[in-house]
Amino acid sequence: MAAEGNSEGRAAARPMLTDLYQATMALGYWCAGRACDPAEFELFFRHCPFGGAFALAAGLRDCVRFLRTFRLQDEDVQFLASVLPADTDPEFFQHLRSLDCSAVTLRALPEGSLAFPGVPLLQVSGPLLLVQLLETPLLCLVSYASLVATNAARLRLIAGPDKQLLELGLRRAQGPDGGLTASTYSYLGGFNNSSNVLAGQLRGVPVAGTLAHSFITSFSGNEVPPNPMLTTAAGGSPKVDLAASVKLWLEQVCACLGLGVQEPHSGERAAFVAYALAFPRAFQGLLDSYSVRRSGLPNFLAVALALGELGYRPVGVRLDSGDLLQQAQEIRGIFRTVAAQFQVPWLESIPIAVSNNIDEEQLARLAQEGSEVNIIGIGTSVVTCPQQPSLGCVYKLVSVGGQPRMKLTEDPEKQTLPGSKAAFRLLASDGSLLMDLLQLAEEPPPQAGQELRVWLRGSQEPSIVRPAQVEPLLRLWLQEGQLCEPLPSLTESRAFAQWSLSRLSPAHRQLKSPVQYQVALSEKLRRLADSLSSQNAP
């Protein structure tokens, strides 16, 4: 298979990003003459994350990219030879060199789909040795992507539809790859943009950012701008000395606010002027480097009003410390007062952005009715998923040579469901979600209006359901290595995720003590699982 040449393709995981036991099992299959036995694995999770009742499926695009570029290089095989027994058959290593995914078939939930425990996110079929080797990389690509997308979706549900959410967790992420993944899939989960430039370059995530405290504190106030002259927004002449204009406006602003003209920090003002000269159409004031009320706010207003005379409009202010909700309310009040004093109505609606280790509880407070906060920057709480750092996805064998396989174990919760399966979402007449249904792939699909006898997971008695609508869940993306349909763009998957979440009932969508969504088995799948369990019991 030809490797993808674009920059996004180069960001895919490498085949050697795996666990050693995948290679030792591969050798075991080879020695047993079973390398090419047809096999199927399923990738799924057992519990919804964060104590919620849903997850968002993510990482499919990365998985497809990985499979289409999968190839062990000479140096990869040489390293494997150094950690496997010295008397390993050289033909085994030749086989590894020949491997690609041209014989692999992939079915999966579309990115942004609602996902529930036990329902496959991926179904991977192909030669046993090869699809075994794919386990760890696929888990790595799907687990964290789905976790962070779900975390972002929870934060979006708390924030509501109108607040802008900015992901700025790159510096807090678990390494560069974790940072790129978090920025990508927090956007899919509902964030508006990211501070991560690489996510913008490679993945098309909208990027945003202005300035930090270091920029402001680097100015003392003695600096003279090399070119303080600024033309009007319309491009007319003459140019205006922005620094001089700001100084005049500062006197009026301080008089309006009851401050002495010497109180605002001159270095902060110089920094604001410098930034406004560089970005007259995108000026934002970071207000808390010194004192919000006595320095940051009057300095911002002076620059904003000077820009306003020239036809420019500031894009906002940002707060990064203190009681963010209370300060935002006070600032909005001052904006209204100053707007009325100087007859500049645009000042009333300047966006207020906040950041500072915001978690779910703080976000709920900032998003409450009456809040004057417009933009919320979240870093650590979205990228590190502190409530649950892992989704716990697993990749389990379900058939070999067309025969079902089942893991029993000492823990009933870790038992797997045998056989190649199909998955369907059953809906009521009003379009609400009833349950997901797993059945054997050989069974005819359920029909709308047809009465079904199903077994809810964990139930000892069957249930009867008559769905008004039936939706197949798993789509065919790769067949024998060939892409079957174009992958949606990240923006399209983001929109699909928001639509998917809108279909959840309030009882399933609530973040604390939600009603758990039901997943059911068909009668035939239940009987097969019971039969194999009895046959393999000691």
Side-chain angles (χ1 to χ4, degrees):
M1 299 171 66
E4 295 180 4
N6 61 33
S7 57
E8 189 178 7
R10 292 197 296 273
R14 297 169 56 182
M16 292 291 279
L17 186 69
T18 193
D19 294 304
L20 179 60
Y21 80 170
Q22 310 294 0
T24 59
M25 284 190 287
L27 178 56
Y29 291 139
W30 171 268
C31 293
R34 305 193 61 206
C36 295
D37 287 3
E40 182 172 328
F41 286 80
E42 290 178 350
L43 190 153
F44 59 92
F45 59 89
R46 295 190 175 102
H47 300 283
C48 289
F50 314 117
F54 70 89
L56 285 182
L60 173 63
R61 190 179 187 87
D62 293 331
C63 291
V64 170
R65 189 183 314 117
F66 167 70
L67 295 174
R68 296 188 74 196
T69 59
F70 180 93
R71 195 79 189 223
L72 287 162
Q73 304 300 313
D74 284 343
E75 59 266 29
D76 300 333
V77 177
Q78 290 169 8
F79 179 79
L80 291 174
S82 73
V83 296
L84 291 173
D87 60 352
T88 299
D89 183 352
E91 290 297 315
F92 170 70
F93 298 114
Q94 285 301 111
H95 181 72
L96 293 183
R97 286 186 175 90
S98 71
L99 288 178
D100 61 23
C101 289
S102 57
V104 170
T105 293
L106 173 69
R107 290 178 173 82
L109 297 177
E111 275 197 312
S113 296
L114 291 171
F116 300 103
V119 178
L121 281 71
L122 306 180
Q123 291 176 327
V124 186
S125 58
L128 177 57
L129 182 153
L130 173 59
V131 291
Q132 182 73 70
L133 285 175
L134 300 177
E135 174 180 2
T136 302
L138 292 178
L139 284 169
C140 188
L141 291 170
V142 170
S143 296
Y144 180 59
S146 298
L147 184 74
V148 77
T150 306
N151 193 29
R154 289 173 59 90
L155 294 167
R156 168 52 70 193
L157 289 172
I158 295 170
D162 299 326
K163 304 293 185 190
Q164 289 192 50
L165 294 180
L166 166 64
E167 179 273 314
L168 37 76
L170 177 58
R171 65 189 62 194
R172 305 285 186 252
Q174 292 93 335
D177 292 338
L180 179 60
T181 300
S183 298
T184 302
Y185 293 106
S186 62
Y187 177 66
L188 183 144
F191 274 54
N192 297 90
N193 37 38
S194 170
S195 66
N196 188 338
V197 176
L198 188 63
Q201 180 187 24
L202 295 185
R203 303 298 178 85
V205 176
V207 294
T210 51
L211 70 166
H213 296 101
S214 56
F215 182 86
I216 293 170
T217 57
S218 73
F219 287 80
S220 66
N222 297 319
E223 297 81 6
V224 177
N227 182 10
M229 308 304 290
L230 186 63
T231 189
T232 65
S237 58
K239 293 183 175 182
V240 172
D241 185 329
L242 184 65
S245 178
V246 166
K247 187 175 181 180
L248 293 175
W249 272 111
L250 182 66
E251 296 177 1
Q252 299 181 67
V253 167
C254 286
C256 179
L257 299 182
L259 296 172
V261 74
Q262 300 302 319
E263 290 188 63
H265 197 285
S266 60
E268 180 182 57
R269 185 164 61 256
F272 284 177
V273 169
Y275 198 82
L277 287 168
F279 298 96
R281 300 181 190 277
F283 171 63
Q284 183 187 63
L286 177 57
L287 302 186
D288 62 342
S289 296
Y290 300 106
S291 166
V292 173
R293 180 69 173 78
R294 296 193 311 275
S295 184
L297 191 54
N299 278 330
F300 167 79
L301 287 168
V303 176
L305 291 165
L307 288 172
E309 277 191 318
L310 299 174
Y312 300 101
R313 298 290 181 266
V315 299
V317 297
R318 180 162 73 92
L319 298 164
D320 191 50
S321 60
D323 188 326
L324 302 175
L325 180 67
Q326 180 180 340
Q327 288 184 94
Q329 291 170 333
E330 293 172 353
I331 289 167
R332 183 68 70 203
I334 291 172
F335 283 169
R336 291 179 179 131
T337 298
V338 175
Q341 173 74 23
F342 298 111
Q343 298 182 357
V344 284
W346 52 263
L347 188 60
E348 294 185 13
S349 57
I350 284 180
I352 299 175
V354 299
S355 55
N356 189 22
N357 290 322
I358 293 169
D359 57 19
E360 286 190 358
E361 182 177 345
Q362 293 167 316
L363 178 60
R365 183 168 179 261
L366 293 169
Q368 66 184 272
E369 186 176 354
S371 169
E372 296 292 350
V373 173
N374 306 105
I375 304 166
I376 303 169
I378 305 178
T380 304
S381 291
V382 65
V383 305
T384 65
C385 302
Q387 291 190 64
Q388 182 176 328
S390 173
L391 181 54
C393 286
V394 293
Y395 182 89
K396 297 301 179 184
L397 180 70
V398 296
S399 74
V400 177
Q403 298 301 307
R405 292 292 186 267
M406 181 179 184
K407 173 184 171 183
L408 292 180
T409 82
E410 300 295 332
D411 184 350
E413 185 181 83
K414 299 183 74 172
Q415 291 183 4
T416 60
L417 291 171
S420 181
K421 301 176 197 67
F424 299 90
R425 187 152 290 157
L426 309 184
L427 290 79
S429 56
D430 62 357
S432 61
L433 310 185
L434 294 175
M435 65 181 65
D436 284 6
L437 174 66
L438 295 174
Q439 65 177 50
L440 294 172
E442 65 195 41
E443 296 183 66
Q447 300 298 313
Q450 171 190 352
E451 189 174 274
L452 301 172
R453 179 181 164 96
V454 301
W455 293 79
L456 299 175
R457 298 293 301 268
S459 174
Q460 300 304 311
E461 298 292 335
S463 299
I464 302 299
V465 62
R466 188 190 300 270
Q469 302 175 56
V470 177
E471 296 176 354
L473 293 178
L474 298 165
R475 303 251 295 264
L476 180 63
W477 297 99
L478 288 178
Q479 187 162 31
E480 295 184 347
Q482 297 301 308
L483 190 63
C484 297
E485 62 175 293
L487 288 164
S489 68
L490 181 60
T491 300
E492 290 169 334
S493 295
R494 180 182 185 273
F496 180 64
Q498 296 309 302
W499 176 79
S500 298
L501 289 166
S502 73
R503 304 176 79 195
L504 273 177
S505 72
H508 295 132
R509 197 186 304 136
Q510 68 187 40
L511 304 183
K512 293 184 178 180
S513 303
V515 174
Q516 293 301 311
Y517 184 81
Q518 299 289 349
V519 175
L521 311 183
S522 70
E523 183 89 13
K524 190 170 183 178
L525 176 55
R526 171 68 181 243
R527 285 201 306 266
L528 176 63
D530 287 346
S531 173
L532 290 180
S533 180
S534 298
Q535 293 175 24
N536 292 301

